[in-house]
Each structure stands twice: as C-alpha cells, then as structure tokens.
Amino acid sequence: MRWSHPLPRTLWGLGLGRAFQPADEHIPFLIHWICALKGECPLGPHRALIRHHGSSVGSRPPSGRHEQLFRSTPAAEAIQQHRRNLAEWFSRLPREERQFGPTFALDTVHVDPVIRESTPDELLRPPSELALEHPLPPARLPTLALSQLFDPDACGRRVQTVVLYGTVGTGKSTLVRKMVLDWCYGRLPAFELLIPFSCEDLSSLGPAPASLCQLVAQRYTPLKEILPLMATTGSRLLFVLHGLEHLNLDFRLAGTGLCSDPEKPEAPAAIIVNLLRKYMLPEARILVTTRPSAIGRIPSKYVGRYGEICGFSDTNLQKLYFQLRLNQPDCEHSAGGMGVSATPAQRDNLVEMLSRNLEGHHQIAAACFLPSYCWLVCATLHFLHAPTPAGQTLTSIYTSFLRLNFNGEMVDSTDPSKLSLMAYAARTMGKLAYDGVSSRKTYFSEEDVHGCLEAGIRTEEEFQLLHVFRRDALRFFLAPCVEPEHPGTFVFTVPAMQEYLAALYIVLGLRKTTLQRVGKEVAELVGRVGEDVSLVLGIVAKLLPLRVLPLLFNLLKVVPRVFGHVVGKSREAVAQAMVLEMFREEDYYNDDVLDQMGASILGMEGPRCHPDEPPEDEVFELFPMFMGGLLSAHNRVMLAQLGCPIKNLDALENAQAIKRKLGKLGRRVLPPSELLDHLFFHYEFQNQRFSAEMLSSLRQLNLAGVRMTPLKCTVVAAVLGSGKHVLEEVNLASCQLDPAGVRTLMPVFLRARKLGLQLNSLGPEACRDLRDLLLHDQCQITTLRLSNNPLTAAGVALLVEGLAGNTSLTHLSLLHTGLGDEGLELLAAQLDRNQQLQELNVAYNGAGNTAALALAKAAWKHPSLELLHLYFNELSSEGRQVLRDLGGTAEGGARVVVSLTEGTAVSEYWSVILSEVQRNLNSWDQGRVRRHLELLLQDLEDNRGATLNPWRKAQLLRVEGEVRALLQQLGGPGS
C-alpha cells in the first residue's frame, strides 16, 4: 500500500516545518494485544504500540564511542526537529484511511507482515519457476523481525545493506512508514539519524546534478547545519530508499563513476549507486525496498541480506489486523456525525463472523494473505455497516484501493513507453475478467491466463513488460484456487475485483472487435486521403472535364461516419448486455448485491448446499453497478491519476447507450431485492439528472422484506429523495428499519401517498420522527400502516400530536402496537383534533372494555371516521355486545369491528380479520392468538345455532372452516 499520493520532488522538504501535534493528542486504542511502552521518549509520552512479528521496541543502542554522536545542543535540537517533521509528515493519512475514525493512526496500531530471509540463489531462479503462490518460509530460512534486519548474517559478517522486496500489495510502503515513525518516537535506538528517500521523487529530478548534501538539505531543512557531521555518524546513520524500481541504476564503472564526496554534485542515480557500492559513506546502513523485478538492479555483492515481504501468511495476523481496524472506538464521527454507528457488541460480532469465515473458507484467507486486501475487506465492511460519508460509493472504494496501490507506478521505469502499471493491468486482467463475465465463469485455467496475458504481444519490449508484470503484480489480481473441486485453476483474489476489472475494461474502450481495430485505422486513413485528393481534384476539375472524380472521392468521406456507426452499435451491444445482466430473471429472488457482498466476506448463515447438488449459475450483478460507477466524474478523476483516462465524449456516449437500454427494460415491476439493486446502480452512477429521468415512471417503491441497513437507507434517500413525482406507495414492511433509518428516508416519505412501516420493531423514538413527518408542510401521506411495531402508549402520545396538525392522513393502522388501555384512552381524548381520518385500526392491543368503549364513542362523534377496528382486544362477551350495539345504532357514525359476526350474520370484514391473522400467524403470540380464535369460533357456532336462515348458516360454516384451518396451523383442535 502506498503512502497515499504520488510523491513529488518536494515531498521531503516542503510542508515539514509545521507545528508538530503532541503525541498525547491521539487517544490510543487499547485491546488485549496492546502493551504500553515504558521509559522516556524523545517526543514525550509513548503512544500505545501494537506490534507483531518484528517489534523494534527491544532494540538497544550499541555501547562504546557511538553512544551519542550529536552532543552539541544545536545538533541535538536539529535532530529533534527532524524527528518532529518526519513524524508529522508520515503520520498524515490519505482520505481513504481517515474513514476508520479520527484516532486511527499507523503509528499507534500496526501489524508487521511476515519477512523471510532469502538467498541470491533463490532470487536467480528462472521466471518460469515462479508461481502465483506465496509458500511458507522454509525451515532453513528463518523469518526476520525489523529489529533483526541488520544483525550479523549466518557467517557472522556485518550487514550494512538490506533489500526488502515484495509484490504489489504486500505492505512495503506501510512497513517503511511505520519504521520511520518508530525512529521518530525513539523506538529504533540503534540509529541516531534516519534519512528516508523516495526513489520516485529522486527519479523525477532526472540527470540534473546535485550532491547528497543538497538532496538532504532540500528535503530536510533542519539537517542543513549538521550535514558536515554526517560522515562521522558511521553505522548510526540509516538511509531508507523506498521504491527502487523507479530508478534506473547502472553499476558499471563506465556508466557511473566512483564518487566518495557527499558534497560533489552528481546525478541522483549516481549518488545512490555510490551509496550502495559503499564508496560514499561506507559505514552508513541502507534499507532498500523494491518490487521483485528490480532486485537485479543491485549486484548481490553489494547486498548483505535479502528479505521477502510475504504478507500475512498466518490467519492469526489477519484476525489481528481486522480486530484493530474494525474496533476503532469513534468511527461514528467518520460520517460527520450523521447516522448511528455500530455498537461495540456489533463490531465484535462482525470481527467474530469474519474470523470464523477465515477459518472455514480458505479462499478468503488466501486473498487476505496480501495486507492490501485485508484493507479492502475492512473498507468494504466499513462501507456496509458504518455511516457512509457523503459521495462514497462501492466503486470509489475499489478505485481508491487501486490508487493506494498503483498510483504513480509504471510497469518498467526503464521502458521508454512509461506505461502505467494499472493501464497494463486493465488491458490484460480486464480482458480475462470480461471473458469470465461473458462466459459466466470465475475459475480460469492456466491456458486462459496465458491467452489473455500474451494476446497481441509481438516485440521484445512487450515481452519484457509482460515479464515484469508477472513478477510484480500478477499475484495481486489472481490467486490459485484452493477449492478441491477446481484443482489447478486460478480465481480473482476477491470475486468483486473480477467484475470491477471487467467493467473497467469496457468503459476504457479496450474491448474491440477485429472490424473495429482494423476499421478505425482504415477509416482515419481513407478520410484524410479523401479530403486531400478531393481538394486537389476540385481545382483540377475546373480546368479539365473530370467532374465525376470529386464525386467519387467525396464518397470516401462517408467511411469515418460508417465506422462511427459501427462503434455506436458496439456501445449499444455492451449497454444491452449490461442491462440484461442487471435484470436477469434468474436472479430475481436472490439477495440484493449488498447482502451478497456482506455474505461473501462474513460467510453464509445457515446450511450450505449439498456437495452432490448441481452448482448454481454464477451471478455477476456487481458488473453493471461498477460500469455505472466508473462513469461518474469522481471515479474518472481517480482513474486518470492511475493512467487510465476515460474521455468525456466516451463517457457521455456510454451513458446515453445505457440510458436508451435502461429506459426500455427499467419500467418492469421488479421484486424488492432487484429493485434495490436498480436503485444501487443509480447511486453508484452519481448522476441525479440521469436518475431522475430514468426513475420518473416509478410509482411504487416495494422493498418489503429487504434488510434496510444504514447504507441501503442512504442509497434509497440519495436516489429518490430529490425527485419531484409522487410515489403512490412506499412499502417497507419487515425491513428491520430503525429510527435512524426513518430519519434518513424522510425525503422519500414526504413524496409517498401510502406508507407501510409494519413489522419493523419501531418504538417510541421512531414516533418522534413520524410526528415530525406528519407535521411537515409537504407531507402528502394518506395511508400510514404501523402495525406490529412496539409503539406503546408513549409512542401514541407523540403520534396524536402529529395527527392534530396533519391534513392529509385518512387511514391509520396501529394493529398490535402494544397500546393497552392507556394508548386507546389517549386516542379517545385527542381524536377530535384531527378532522380527516376515515379509518383507524387498533386491533390486538390488549385493551379492555372501558378503553375500547371510550374510543368507540369518540369515533362515533368524529365527523369523518367511518371504520374502527377493535377485534382481538381483551374484551368480554358483554363488552363486545355493547360495542356491536353502538356500531349498529349509530346513524352516520363510525362502524366498529369487534368480531367475525354482526348479530347472527357474518361480518363483511371477516376476510380482512382472518387475512391479518394469517399474515402474522408466525410473529404473534401463538397462545394468545389461539385463545382469540377459539372465542371467535365459539361466537360463530353460537350465531349459527341462533339463525334459521340457510344462507347465513352456509356463510357461518364457511368462516368456521377458515378459523379451524388457522387453529390447525397453530396446533390447536381443528374440530
């Protein structure tokens, strides 16, 4: 993972003089792995430090004459200022890291990757023997801690130069950043002076001569006064050269002459060569980090030790990383205070589920071998479960992830083309990914991989680029499949990366047919020739009778237009494929893409498919989401930084093609999970005008049964909250909605006519937001269903305030909301303050005779109320009779429904009552429901015995059968 941004030539100098923040301003996050450091620190109290596999805390300064070299007060102050400046600069985190909470910092929390010692013989293995796997360190080659890097080798020889190498994503940049911070806070006492150089920064200087002292002084101003003492520092001086692959070093004497004077101007590459030769400052220690392909740029005779950064080869390291990242105590502030963050128990549950999946699902453990992918897993979980910062999308997380790892990286700095490493990956890995999506497969043979990597390679330079990519970056994208059913195959390191790269391959216009590849060149050539020849012949034709020739050559101008039409047809085909993937009927009844992504990380809950069952078809529902997201302006800016620019015209034409296809297929009625996927596509696209036009025909928002997490509420509110047209119905029944979700969705609720919030466990806190909704001057809700929520009387006290000031609501359902007598009495006392209500359902609320009768009398006096539901309350037979008599004698008043019968006849609302019972049979208290059904059955039998009308008897018998069927489902007597 890189240090955040491409490092300019002024990285180490400019901006380092700002006041340093005291260490105690950062609150350390302590868990049982943390051990507080003791003793004095140059910058004040020690911060909490978490280390694993390579703590430098145990280092001791060597005794003797090097105990303290910079004894003078000015020199000591310069070193201290240098420490403060480095600590401030290297403590700065990119925006992608700040999402984990304001107290998150790499100098307080860190897990060292495994570093194993390697030998020159191992590095000289032929490239054909290099596999994608990262084998565990052999027993004869021990792992290294950071404090052991400069220990004497096996033969007792002093080690002065150490080369650490690792593929993209193994954590080289993070390791260097942490090592520098360790020195800043006194945790590397073996070195009195540490000078880090970015080789990318040095390469930007080109061949312009500058001395080593000038390079140091330009970047670290406080060291200017002590540079003459640098030569006397000896082994207490450490140079850190990060990213050697950016420099083209020539160790031949004919190419780089010898130079031992730190004040003599030379090309930066020449200075580095002489430092590594130990001809300049021979006693200084040097730590080099590089990608594997650049190891050979330093002759092995100048290297005392090689170390391979192997990532997290132990799942315990992965678990520790996740524990530290996901258990930040103040992540609730990361979204600007909006929303409700996960509780400590919820965060612990996330970590526990992830740990279990790491133990049982070896493919995700193989992916998390690379620390970068551990970061991606944490960022994705944070996106799914924590408050979402404004504008953050899943596509932007993946693009930021690639920018952290590939920004400023070239395939080969020695190649004249200076091709971006990400652009090369998009061309090769993107083709493999898209071929997999097109053929609906996620497992790739070695032939598949070779076919995509070697397609179109003709020259020696292209083969060299391929060789570098295979050694440095192939493992970042592909991993060997560890499933026994697919031996010898490869998969993308995380499944979503395949869909991202496939989408990137399309939007960059890399997918071209043979006709397009050849036709473009021919069309441009013919178009240019046609214009020139037509101009010449137009002049000649005025003198000679050759008027037909200009006409023929004018026809050549049509060729570019024809080619443009072919390209347009290709875009239409891609848009058609994308939209069809989004609306595949085979995927209609699976989970939404956000739940699918969470399940792939945290593991599937419940039983898995039997091994003998046929495998389900592969699902690529994220592919269209990523296509839309990559066309957004924010992601296009980041892609341009990666060397993968998307032209504005191409983005516009792709968007128009998608719009045409989406307009045809997007009007169909979708199941709830697919409707959420459709809305998530628009959220990723981040184009309100486009979304408003595409969703203008949406009249019913049915998300019933979809688990509405804070992220999903944000998605729905962002896409639909700014629309203008009315939503006839918004159904969010059984969505696990909480009060924070209600607040987030308020702009959508203001557009709804019918709002269903039943079965959501909403309590009195949510009623405060519902009161504000009803009192809003733009509220147009006519039907509000709140049944099966524990509102209680406290919640109703808030709702009646909203009813008093509302002018649109006509139907209100408070079925099974725990109102009791107190709640019904509150409604009875305040009902007359609302003049528009037509139907009120307070059934199954545990109310007694007195409260029910009081509400019935208030309903009877209400000017507009037509129907009052009171069935399944704790009413006696006498109370039910009184209520029936009141409803029967009230002329023009509200009808009161308390039973399945009215006198000796069947109530016209019997089907409404029984369907409500059938719908909630599994969620209601079954003993209580059985008792009420038995009372209803007894009432039906009594009325059937009291009537002589055969038609009424038949109706009563039919309803009795329905009630008996419900009793049988509850395990009660059906006869």
Side-chain angles (χ1 to χ4, degrees):
M1 202 172 297
R2 295 184 57 78
W3 283 333
S4 78
H5 292 291
L7 308 178
R9 61 182 294 178
T10 56
L11 168 67
W12 314 107
L14 296 179
L16 298 184
R18 296 172 55 189
F20 175 70
Q21 291 183 337
D24 55 2
E25 289 185 9
H26 290 267
I27 304 172
F29 171 58
L30 302 178
I31 61 174
H32 64 279
W33 284 288
I34 299 180
C35 177
L37 297 174
K38 297 180 181 179
E40 292 296 326
C41 177
L43 298 182
H46 279 294
R47 299 188 183 196
L49 173 68
I50 298 169
R51 304 286 291 182
H52 199 288
H53 281 274
S55 174
S56 58
V57 179
S59 302
R60 294 289 183 268
S63 58
R65 64 183 180 88
H66 292 301
E67 189 66 33
Q68 185 174 358
L69 298 172
F70 301 103
R71 295 179 181 273
S72 66
T73 301
E77 290 178 352
I79 294 295
Q80 284 294 90
Q81 184 62 42
H82 178 56
R83 290 179 189 265
R84 284 193 289 268
N85 290 348
L86 279 183
E88 180 191 7
W89 183 250
F90 279 87
S91 296
R92 294 177 180 178
L93 295 175
R95 182 177 58 86
E96 291 84 1
E97 293 282 24
R98 293 198 294 270
Q99 66 180 313
F100 292 104
T103 65
F104 178 81
L106 287 178
D107 60 320
T108 57
V109 177
H110 179 67
V111 180
D112 282 347
V114 172
I115 303 174
R116 72 175 182 92
E117 188 169 359
S118 58
T119 64
D121 293 338
E122 185 181 357
L123 298 174
L124 292 175
R125 285 187 305 171
S128 59
E129 298 180 15
L130 296 174
L132 286 174
E133 296 91 339
H134 281 290
L136 293 179
R140 66 181 186 277
L141 295 175
T143 59
L144 295 170
L146 284 180
S147 58
Q148 300 170 330
L149 291 179
F150 292 96
D151 288 354
D153 63 12
C155 299
R157 291 188 296 260
R158 186 172 58 163
V159 173
Q160 290 184 284
T161 300
V162 176
V163 174
L164 297 180
Y165 65 94
T167 60
V168 175
T170 50
K172 299 184 295 296
S173 298
T174 305
L175 195 64
V176 169
R177 180 196 291 266
K178 188 62 180 68
M179 191 173 184
V180 172
L181 290 173
D182 278 352
W183 180 79
C184 292
Y185 295 111
R187 297 193 285 258
L188 284 178
F191 303 105
E192 195 163 344
L193 178 59
L194 183 147
I195 300 177
F197 280 115
S198 164
C199 294
E200 183 181 1
D201 173 37
L202 296 179
S203 69
S204 67
L205 301 177
S211 68
L212 176 61
C213 292
Q214 288 174 332
L215 291 177
V216 174
Q218 287 172 1
R219 285 150 184 79
Y220 308 110
T221 306
L223 299 181
K224 185 181 299 185
E225 302 300 327
I226 63 172
L227 288 178
L229 302 176
M230 190 165 57
T232 64
T233 311
S235 62
R236 304 296 302 276
L237 170 62
L238 174 63
F239 286 101
V240 177
L241 306 177
H242 175 61
L244 188 74
E245 66 273 2
H246 291 281
L247 286 176
N248 187 13
L249 304 181
D250 186 356
F251 279 80
R252 297 172 304 135
L253 287 176
T256 303
L258 298 176
C259 177
S260 61
D261 186 0
E263 297 185 1
K264 181 180 178 182
E266 294 279 353
I271 292 175
I272 299 301
V273 167
N274 281 291
L275 281 174
L276 292 170
R277 283 172 173 166
K278 291 301 171 189
Y279 202 77
M280 182 184 293
L281 302 179
E283 295 294 321
R285 306 283 183 92
I286 302 175
L287 176 67
V288 178
T289 66
T290 183
R291 300 200 312 236
S293 64
I295 295 174
R297 298 185 188 180
I298 306 177
S300 59
K301 65 181 180 180
Y302 298 125
V303 179
R305 174 172 285 129
Y306 290 98
E308 180 181 8
I309 303 176
C310 296
F312 297 153
S313 57
D314 184 358
T315 55
N316 289 326
L317 293 179
Q318 300 172 7
K319 293 177 184 178
L320 176 58
Y321 183 98
F322 293 133
Q323 178 77 23
L324 302 179
R325 285 274 178 165
L326 296 175
N327 266 311
Q328 290 297 304
D330 50 358
C331 289
E332 62 266 24
H333 302 295
S334 61
M338 297 300 293
V340 178
S341 68
T343 63
Q346 290 171 328
R347 292 196 293 264
D348 290 340
N349 184 52
L350 275 181
V351 174
E352 180 63 27
M353 292 178 67
L354 184 54
S355 298
R356 288 201 306 267
N357 199 31
L358 284 171
E359 295 169 358
H361 185 56
H362 300 295
Q363 197 63 55
I364 190 175
C368 292
F369 192 100
L370 293 172
S372 290
Y373 277 96
C374 291
W375 182 94
L376 180 61
V377 167
C378 289
T380 304
L381 286 177
H382 203 267
F383 174 70
L384 293 174
H385 296 280
T388 306
Q392 187 183 55
T393 65
L394 185 63
T395 312
S396 69
I397 287 178
Y398 272 72
T399 309
S400 299
F401 167 67
L402 294 173
R403 183 174 66 172
L404 286 173
N405 286 278
F406 290 94
N407 199 10
E409 295 286 349
M410 294 176 287
V411 182
D412 187 358
S413 61
T414 63
D415 185 74
S417 66
K418 305 297 181 185
L419 180 62
S420 158
L421 185 57
M422 190 61 226
Y424 192 91
R427 190 178 71 197
T428 54
M429 293 294 96
K431 175 175 171 52
L432 182 67
Y434 182 73
D435 290 347
V437 170
S438 302
S439 56
R440 311 200 68 76
K441 68 177 183 179
T442 57
Y443 304 95
F444 302 93
S445 65
E446 191 171 348
E447 291 74 18
D448 295 332
V449 178
H450 279 295
C452 289
L453 288 176
E454 298 173 2
I457 291 183
R458 297 290 183 269
T459 66
E460 180 64 27
E461 291 76 12
E462 291 173 339
F463 273 107
Q464 176 62 23
L465 292 178
L466 174 59
H467 167 72
V468 173
F469 180 79
R470 286 174 63 93
R471 294 200 66 182
D472 292 348
L474 185 58
R475 177 60 180 86
F476 183 87
F477 296 103
L478 290 182
C481 180
V482 299
E483 298 175 11
E485 309 90 47
H486 302 278
T489 60
F490 301 96
V491 295
F492 279 85
T493 314
V494 292
M497 183 57 74
Q498 177 181 352
E499 299 177 71
Y500 178 92
L501 290 174
L504 182 61
Y505 183 71
I506 294 301
V507 299
L508 289 177
L510 298 175
R511 178 184 176 271
K512 292 183 174 67
T513 63
T514 304
L515 176 62
Q516 287 177 287
R517 287 194 297 269
V518 177
K520 182 178 181 180
E521 298 177 1
V522 173
E524 292 177 354
L525 177 62
V526 170
R528 289 195 299 267
V529 171
E531 291 177 1
D532 296 339
V533 174
S534 296
L535 179 62
V536 172
L537 291 180
I539 298 172
V540 174
K542 294 180 179 179
L543 304 175
L544 300 174
L546 300 174
R547 298 184 180 276
V548 69
L549 292 179
L551 178 62
L552 295 176
F553 281 98
N554 279 333
L555 295 177
L556 296 176
K557 297 180 180 180
V558 180
V559 174
R561 299 177 187 174
V562 173
F563 174 75
H565 185 68
V566 172
V567 173
K569 287 293 183 182
S570 177
R571 289 196 182 95
E572 294 284 341
V574 170
Q576 176 79 4
M578 189 212 78
V579 173
L580 289 176
E581 184 66 45
M582 189 187 303
F583 297 111
R584 286 183 77 229
E585 294 186 5
E586 295 88 344
D587 302 335
Y588 268 16
Y589 299 102
N590 58 8
D591 293 335
D592 59 80
V593 291
L594 296 175
D595 281 351
Q596 289 177 38
M597 175 158 282
S600 69
I601 296 174
L602 299 175
M604 298 291 294
E605 295 295 327
R608 294 182 180 272
C609 296
H610 191 275
D612 295 335
E613 294 181 5
E616 296 182 0
D617 192 14
E618 295 290 351
V619 176
F620 296 100
E621 292 185 278
L622 277 175
F623 169 63
M625 314 299 169
F626 283 138
M627 273 198 68
L630 289 171
L631 292 175
S632 68
H634 176 63
N635 281 294
R636 284 192 283 128
V637 169
M638 287 194 288
L639 287 173
Q641 295 172 1
L642 287 169
C644 301
I646 301 175
K647 297 179 181 179
N648 291 330
L649 183 59
D650 290 340
L652 177 62
E653 291 177 349
N654 276 307
Q656 289 175 343
I658 293 172
K659 182 178 179 180
R660 285 189 291 270
K661 298 300 178 182
L662 198 60
K664 295 178 181 178
L665 295 176
R667 295 187 181 93
R668 63 178 63 175
V669 178
L670 299 172
S673 62
E674 290 298 305
L675 178 57
L676 183 66
D677 290 348
H678 188 192
L679 298 178
F680 186 60
F681 166 80
H682 288 279
Y683 178 76
E684 290 291 311
F685 198 36
Q686 293 284 298
N687 188 324
Q688 290 188 353
R689 181 179 178 183
F690 177 91
S691 300
E693 188 172 348
M694 287 292 95
L695 297 172
S696 60
S697 60
L698 182 67
R699 291 292 181 266
Q700 291 187 336
L701 180 65
N702 180 17
L703 298 176
V706 174
R707 185 172 60 93
M708 293 300 292
T709 62
L711 172 62
K712 295 177 187 177
C713 293
T714 301
V715 168
V716 175
V719 174
L720 294 177
S722 59
K724 302 297 183 181
H725 67 279
V726 174
L727 296 171
E728 295 296 335
E729 182 175 6
V730 174
N731 185 2
L732 295 174
S734 190
C735 288
Q736 302 180 35
L737 203 60
D738 58 10
V742 172
R743 285 192 292 274
T744 303
L745 291 169
M746 194 70 71
V748 181
F749 293 165
L750 290 173
R751 298 175 51 196
R753 290 281 176 82
K754 296 180 180 179
L755 178 59
L757 298 176
Q758 57 270 36
L759 285 165
N760 276 299
S761 301
L762 297 175
E765 183 183 355
C767 292
R768 183 174 291 103
D769 300 295
L770 293 173
R771 175 199 61 190
D772 297 340
L773 172 65
L774 292 173
L775 292 176
H776 199 283
D777 56 357
Q778 295 180 8
C779 178
Q780 47 191 326
I781 297 174
T782 59
T783 301
L784 178 59
R785 294 187 288 270
L786 297 172
S787 55
N788 297 296
N789 286 296
L791 303 181
T792 70
V796 169
L798 295 168
L799 281 179
V800 293
E801 296 179 18
L803 286 174
N806 181 268
T807 59
S808 63
L809 192 66
T810 58
H811 295 74
L812 176 63
S813 176
L814 299 174
L815 168 74
H816 190 217
T817 50
L819 303 184
D821 289 341
E822 183 182 356
L824 263 67
E825 289 170 357
L826 276 171
L827 283 171
Q830 304 290 332
L831 193 62
D832 60 343
R833 298 177 62 187
N834 179 281
Q835 303 296 310
Q836 286 78 32
L837 203 61
Q838 298 176 10
E839 182 177 349
L840 177 62
N841 189 341
V842 290
Y844 197 12
N845 271 295
N849 292 338
T850 304
L853 183 60
L855 182 58
K857 289 181 178 179
W860 179 65
K861 297 177 182 178
H862 196 276
S864 62
L865 196 64
E866 299 174 357
L867 190 60
L868 176 65
H869 299 265
L870 284 170
Y871 51 87
F872 272 36
N873 280 295
E874 303 302 319
L875 305 176
S876 64
S877 57
E878 294 80 7
R880 288 197 298 274
Q881 186 58 48
V882 171
L883 289 172
R884 272 196 292 262
D885 294 342
L886 178 64
T889 58
E891 296 180 0
R895 298 188 61 176
V896 181
V897 181
V898 294
S899 178
L900 296 175
T901 60
E902 293 179 0
T904 58
V906 174
S907 171
E908 63 179 290
Y909 300 103
W910 72 268
S911 61
V912 175
I913 297 174
L914 293 185
S915 64
E916 200 71 57
V917 175
Q918 178 70 56
R919 190 181 303 114
N920 298 284
L921 203 58
N922 295 325
S923 60
W924 286 356
D925 181 275
Q926 296 195 356
R928 188 175 172 186
V929 173
R930 184 183 299 110
R931 179 168 56 84
H932 281 291
L933 288 176
E934 288 171 350
L935 290 174
L936 293 176
L937 183 62
Q938 183 63 46
D939 191 30
L940 287 168
E941 291 174 345
D942 293 343
N943 281 283
R944 180 164 54 84
T947 183
L948 299 176
N949 188 321
W951 175 245
R952 288 185 177 180
K953 282 182 179 290
Q955 287 183 315
L956 290 167
L957 276 172
R958 178 191 173 192
V959 178
E960 282 180 38
E962 298 284 347
V963 176
R964 293 182 195 279
L966 290 174
L967 283 170
Q968 285 181 341
Q969 293 183 41
L970 289 171
S975 60

